[in-house]
């Protein structure tokens, strides 16, 4: 039996950050993964997705500039784009193995299962840990309707060798939004079936409304209030049965994508053997990211599901856990000013409070909001969608929320995130000198 100061389940962002920090302090560390080492962001999430977005960006800019001095037709050669994507993903597992080995971290391949409060089995090995970190990430939610097995996951979507002509996205969150924007630029007919009343429900309704014009412009058929009830395969197509506000209906597709949410990947861990409490499919953790029922067990990132399921949050959680292990359990997770984005074209981004939360919490709220496609930033690249909403506490001057859609929203939001996390005021941001003309140089006008 191997004994370690820290056993980490997973080798994604959270696992890497925690393992490295604890190992650097001279402690013994093991990591376990049943998939190639590297985790979701590098292999099946942010990084490969953004490579596909880059292909779509090339097409999109050329098309928008078509009547402004740019001529010729461009198109996406899907298999070449996927080949380019693989140049990013394929080297990752070997590099991670080598990095762990170089740092003196032991890597184990296989499914990790608790066999006791401080014990984890992987294949024929039993590992004993002074601390155990669950950094097992998230997986697509199980959808209960008949034929759900026909769904293509986001992992498989980013591995498609041949691009289909007709795609149905089941769900209306950021994965559906991003994938439908990529797919439409790659030439597919795309429909999005979203059960709730609007797309991107975690983003500001008004700002999402502006982005929906772009979905229409690129021909993505968004159906809200549409709940998928079954999928069947007939011949060489899928028939997607759905309940709509007008009754039952069927949509046909060559590919049906699971974009209906992800949940913590903890079911296989045999948590009861370790007395690790779970409620509603989530680990029960305190503010120190420690199990409330087994104090040697911590969780971080998507598995912890304390903060939003984003890579910077996984990294933040992992630092908190490593510090708690090394310095005593006194560090709390702090999710103030975590920005989020959907990499649609153009992107939509948000940080801080929503308008309704800001109204509820702030006696004197200054809200500024406008649709501004006529601003230079958008006009220069013939982009028809640009708008913002900023929320400032009138009493303190602090920026408490920002919501942006349009060119460079994914970069501009980082400055608002900095302001919110470090209590900067609107006056502070307005007095900063940003390079002109960039997306950031519009911030002064947004406040
Ligand atoms: C399509 C997609 C796009 C995304 N885009 C973005 C983005 O643009 N920006 C952003 O910030 N975030 C994005 N995310 C989210 C981001 O990828 C995750 O928040 C982040 O990768 C989570 O890291 P983690 O370390 O918590 O878990 P992961 O990186 O998921 O690592 C968990 C690891 O644990 C392993 N594992 C699970 N169970 C076991 C077990 N029992 N035994 C052994 N190993 C196990 C898994 O194989 C996996 O490798 C995206 C996610 C997806 C799916």
């Amino acid at each position: 039996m191997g004994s370690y100061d820290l056993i980490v389940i997973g080798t994604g962002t959270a696992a890497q950050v925690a393992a490295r920090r604890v190992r650097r302090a001279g402690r013994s560390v093991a990591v376990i993964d049943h998939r190639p080492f590297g985790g979701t962001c590098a292999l099946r999430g942010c990084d490969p997705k953004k490579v596909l977005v880059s292909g779509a960006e090339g097409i999109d800019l050329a098309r928008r500039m078509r009547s402004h001095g740019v001529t010729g037709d461009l198109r996406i050669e899907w298999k070449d784009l996927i080949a380019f994507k693989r140049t990013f993903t394929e080297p990752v597992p070997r590099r991670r193995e080598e990095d762990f080995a170089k740092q003196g971290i032991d890597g184990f391949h296989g499914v990790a299962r608790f066999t006791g409060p401080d014990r984890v089995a992987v294949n024929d090995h039993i590992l004993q840990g002074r601390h155990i970190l669950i950094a097992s990430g998230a997986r697509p939610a199980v959808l209960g309707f008949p034929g759900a097995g026909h769904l293509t996951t986001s992992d498989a979507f980013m591995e498609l060798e041949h691009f289909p002509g007709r795609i149905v996205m089941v769900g209306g969150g950021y994965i559906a939004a991003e994938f439908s924007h990529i797919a439409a630029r790659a030439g597919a007919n795309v429909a999005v079936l979203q059960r709730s009343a609007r797309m991107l429900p975690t983003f500001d309704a008004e700002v999402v409304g502006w982005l929906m014009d772009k979905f229409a412009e690129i021909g993505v058929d968004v159906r809200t209030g549409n709940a998928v009830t079954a999928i069947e395969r007939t011949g060489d197509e899928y028939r997607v049965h759905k309940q709509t506000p007008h009754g039952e209906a069927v949509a046909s597709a060559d590919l049906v994508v699971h974009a209906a949410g992800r949940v913590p990947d903890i079911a296989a861990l045999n948590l009861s053997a370790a007395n690790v409490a779970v409620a509603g499919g989530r680990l029960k953790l305190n503010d120190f990211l420690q199990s409330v029922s087994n104090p040697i067990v911590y969780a971080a990132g998507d598995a912890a599901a304390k903060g939003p399921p984003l890579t910077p949050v996984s990294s933040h959680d992992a630092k908190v856990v490593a510090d708690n292990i090394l310095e005593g359990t006194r560090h709390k997770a702090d999710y103030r000013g975590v920005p989020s984005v959907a990499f649609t074209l153009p992107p939509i981004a948000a940080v801080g409070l929503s308008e309704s939360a800001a109204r509820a919490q702030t006696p004197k709220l200054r809200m500024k909001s406008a649709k501004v496609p006529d601003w230079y930033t958008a006009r220069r690249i013939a982009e028809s969608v640009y708008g913002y909403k900023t929320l400032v506490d009138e009493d303190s001057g602090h920026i408490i929320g920002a919501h942006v859609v349009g060119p460079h929203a994914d970069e501009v939001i980082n400055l608002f995130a900095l302001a919110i996390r470090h209590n900067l005021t609107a006056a502070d941001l307005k007095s900063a000198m940003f390079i002109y003309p960039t997306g950031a140089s519009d911030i002064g006008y947004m406040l």
Side-chain angles (χ1 to χ4, degrees), residues 8-17 31-50 108-114 120-122 134-140 153-155 157-158 174-175 178-179 262 265-270 300-305 308-315 317-318 338-343:
V8 184
I9 302 173
T11 59
T13 305
Q16 289 167 44
V17 171
V31 295
I32 309 169
D33 209 310
H34 65 98
R35 300 183 79 170
F37 283 8
T40 302
C41 186
L43 293 173
R44 303 173 292 274
C46 344
D47 291 354
K49 174 200 69 191
K50 197 85 191 279
F108 291 85
H109 291 274
V111 175
R113 288 184 89 246
F114 282 94
V120 176
V122 48
I134 300 172
S136 54
R139 58 171 171 75
T153 61
S154 56
D155 295 6
F157 179 88
M158 289 192 278
Y174 79 94
I175 292 180
E178 294 175 338
F179 281 8
R262 291 169 62 82
D265 192 1
I266 54 173
L269 294 173
N270 195 27
D302 286 6
L310 296 168
T311 293
V313 170
S314 296
S315 174
D317 284 358
V338 178
S340 60
V341 61
F343 289 104

Side-chain angles (χ1 to χ4, degrees), residues 108-383:
F108 291 85
H109 291 274
V111 175
R113 288 184 89 246
F114 282 94
T115 55
D118 65 347
R119 253 145 247 241
V120 176
V122 48
N123 301 325
D124 296 338
H125 304 275
I126 300 283
L127 310 182
Q128 191 244 333
R130 283 183 52 191
H131 301 280
I132 299 172
L133 171 60
I134 300 172
S136 54
R139 58 171 171 75
V142 175
L143 303 178
F145 54 72
H150 292 306
L151 289 164
T152 293
T153 61
S154 56
D155 295 6
F157 179 88
M158 289 192 278
E159 283 295 328
L160 286 174
E161 288 288 346
H162 302 288
F163 207 63
R166 297 169 304 165
I167 302 177
V168 164
M169 304 280 169
V170 178
Y174 79 94
I175 292 180
E178 294 175 338
F179 281 8
S180 62
H181 273 233
I182 295 166
R185 269 62 170 222
N189 279 319
V190 189
V192 177
L193 305 180
Q194 161 70 322
R195 192 170 45 183
S196 57
R198 67 177 179 92
M199 284 287 289
L200 295 166
T202 59
F203 289 85
D204 181 89
E206 191 179 10
V207 179
V208 170
W210 300 333
L211 179 63
M212 294 321 290
D213 292 347
K214 184 60 78 173
F215 280 79
E217 191 184 309
I218 62 172
V220 175
D221 180 11
V222 177
R223 302 289 174 103
T224 53
N226 275 232
V228 173
T229 53
I231 303 173
E232 51 174 345
R233 174 107 189 159
T234 54
D236 53 4
E237 69 171 18
Y238 295 103
R239 292 176 60 76
V240 183
H241 297 262
K242 53 184 187 156
Q243 187 66 45
T244 79
H246 315 291
E248 289 176 10
V250 179
S252 298
D254 305 313
L255 185 79
V256 191
V257 177
H258 186 315
R262 291 169 62 82
V263 294
D265 192 1
I266 54 173
L269 294 173
N270 195 27
L271 294 166
S272 57
N275 189 33
V276 173
V278 177
R282 286 166 170 250
L283 296 164
K284 287 181 82 175
L285 304 171
N286 59 25
D287 291 343
F288 308 104
L289 302 177
Q290 182 183 40
S291 165
V292 296
S293 50
N294 180 345
I296 71 162
V297 173
Y298 291 85
D302 286 6
K306 272 282 207 185
L310 296 168
T311 293
V313 170
S314 296
S315 174
H316 167 80
D317 284 358
K319 289 175 192 156
V320 169
V321 170
D323 290 350
N324 282 335
I325 289 171
L326 296 172
E327 297 167 10
T329 306
R330 59 191 168 86
H331 301 276
K332 291 184 181 177
D334 172 3
Y335 303 119
R336 269 174 317 135
V338 178
S340 60
V341 61
F343 289 104
T344 46
L345 300 172
I348 182 167
V351 65
L353 298 182
S354 65
E355 183 186 340
S356 56
R359 287 199 186 287
Q361 290 176 30
T362 318
K364 273 207 236 152
L365 180 71
R366 186 168 83 235
M367 186 187 88
K368 208 172 160 190
S369 157
K371 207 172 159 179
V372 288
D374 52 328
W375 282 8
Y376 175 77
T377 302
R379 277 193 56 214
R380 177 179 67 81
I381 51 169
E383 176 54 74

